Amino acid sequence: MAEKIQLLVSAVDKDGAVLAEQMHIGSDAVIVNQCGRYGYEEIARNGHRIQVFAMAERGVGLSRNTALLHADADICVFSDEDIVLCGDYQEQIRRAYAELPDADMILVNVQVAPARRTYWNEDIHRINYRNYGRYPAYSITARHEALLRANVHYSLLFGGGARYSNGEDSLFLRDCLRAGLKIYAHTICIGEEKERESTWFSGYHEKFFRDRGVLYHYLYGRLALPLSFRFLWVHRAEMCSGIPLWQAYRFMKDGVREGRARGSHERAGKDNGGR
């Protein structure tokens, strides 16, 4: 029997039936719609079951965790409301897992505008601590049982609607690696992103650099500061035209310090709770 594929979609203020049509959903799916209210409906589409959960809270990490909580398929495919899927995405994903039988997760291609592209898989290769940071959530597919076994979830601190603007995808993949999951990149392409205004990016300003500093603390620990400078140096032409590189680095350092303070507070809370 073919493995069951299930799409896990994070959406904001959408009609479930309309969104399923726009995305060309051709499998079972769980859509979590952040819309200021609570509700539930089921939609039958081409023989597939689409569950739509309406929630009042905002936050992309919370919506992805909610979708994962209700997942019941063999393979989960994370997605966003602005992805238009290929007609054969299920067959492509099954083929990729058949080719990589030891894979717990496979990161796939999705076409995006050149200015927004952070990755493109030209070959099949293993994902490790050196190359996991470029992949967005809509590239992630995973065996449901592997995610349950690893007990991983999305951060509620990072991403659209959260305190810090982005980075939840990198943190999720980092945690999957720490849990020992085997992650591969594959060359299949399962869809295309429709261009829209970003839900979190509003320019290279102070908050952008401070938030990135906090993220770097959580991702890299003691290496956060040198990697912050490296990040700014590599992208200085694009990111430092309005704010000088030295000022941007100062903002990132402030963010790293904020991350350290938050981390110390979290550890102290765990210690006190354990007494």
Side-chain angles (χ1 to χ4, degrees), residues 73-91:
D74 300 307
I75 298 172
C76 298
V77 181
F78 291 95
S79 194
D80 291 325
E81 64 183 44
D82 56 351
I83 303 300
V84 178
L85 296 155
C86 297
D88 65 344
Y89 72 92
Q90 289 197 87
E91 290 72 20

Side-chain angles (χ1 to χ4, degrees), residues 24-228:
H24 298 174
I25 293 177
S27 64
D28 284 7
V30 177
I31 298 174
V32 177
N33 186 29
Q34 304 160 78
C35 59
R37 61 178 176 83
Y38 297 103
Y40 174 77
E41 66 173 325
E42 285 192 16
I43 300 167
R45 175 178 164 82
N46 300 327
H48 299 292
R49 178 189 184 207
I50 299 176
Q51 303 174 75
V52 183
F53 294 87
M55 59 188 298
E57 298 85 0
R58 296 295 175 106
V60 67
L62 179 60
S63 69
R64 297 204 195 283
N65 289 339
T66 302
L68 188 57
L69 177 67
H70 294 283
D72 60 4
D74 300 307
I75 298 172
C76 298
V77 181
F78 291 95
S79 194
D80 291 325
E81 64 183 44
D82 56 351
I83 303 300
V84 178
L85 296 155
C86 297
D88 65 344
Y89 72 92
Q90 289 197 87
E91 290 72 20
Q92 289 197 70
I93 292 169
R94 291 190 184 106
R95 175 170 57 82
Y97 277 91
E99 292 174 1
L100 299 167
D102 65 329
D104 295 308
M105 305 174 70
I106 297 178
L107 309 184
V108 302
N109 287 325
V110 173
Q111 292 184 355
V112 301
R116 286 178 49 79
R117 179 177 293 177
T118 60
Y119 81 101
W120 186 260
N121 300 327
E122 299 284 356
D123 56 19
I124 298 173
H125 56 272
R126 188 79 175 260
I127 296 296
N128 54 44
Y129 287 102
R130 295 187 299 276
N131 59 9
Y132 74 92
R134 300 177 296 125
Y135 289 91
Y138 55 72
S139 70
I140 299 174
T141 75
R143 292 194 178 279
H144 186 211
E145 181 59 36
L147 296 181
L148 292 177
R149 184 175 70 247
N151 192 28
V152 291
H153 60 273
Y154 274 85
S155 170
L156 303 184
L157 271 178
F158 296 87
R163 182 183 183 93
Y164 303 111
S165 52
N166 77 319
E168 75 284 357
D169 308 328
S170 297
L171 287 165
F172 181 72
L173 289 172
R174 189 275 313 272
D175 290 347
C176 289
L177 286 169
R178 283 183 174 178
L181 298 189
K182 295 179 180 179
I183 310 176
Y184 288 86
H186 201 287
T187 58
I188 62 170
C189 180
I190 67 167
E192 180 179 4
E193 180 190 53
K194 296 182 297 183
E195 288 194 60
R196 61 167 180 166
E197 185 177 349
S198 174
T199 58
W200 68 268
F201 180 74
S202 57
Y204 298 113
H205 41 55
E206 180 177 346
K207 178 172 171 53
F208 172 87
F209 294 115
R210 285 182 181 272
D211 286 2
R212 185 56 61 110
V214 177
L215 174 64
Y216 270 38
H217 161 72
Y218 279 89
L219 286 176
Y220 305 121
R222 295 179 180 178
L223 294 176
L225 288 178
L227 289 177
S228 292

Side-chain angles (χ1 to χ4, degrees), residues 201-212 228-229 231-233 235-254:
F201 180 74
S202 57
Y204 298 113
H205 41 55
E206 180 177 346
K207 178 172 171 53
F208 172 87
F209 294 115
R210 285 182 181 272
D211 286 2
R212 185 56 61 110
S228 292
F229 185 82
F231 168 76
L232 292 171
W233 182 258
H235 299 285
R236 63 190 183 279
E238 175 187 3
M239 296 183 177
C240 299
S241 58
I243 295 179
L245 187 147
W246 64 268
Q247 183 64 67
Y249 182 58
R250 180 178 295 177
F251 290 147
M252 285 196 71
K253 286 176 65 177
D254 290 342

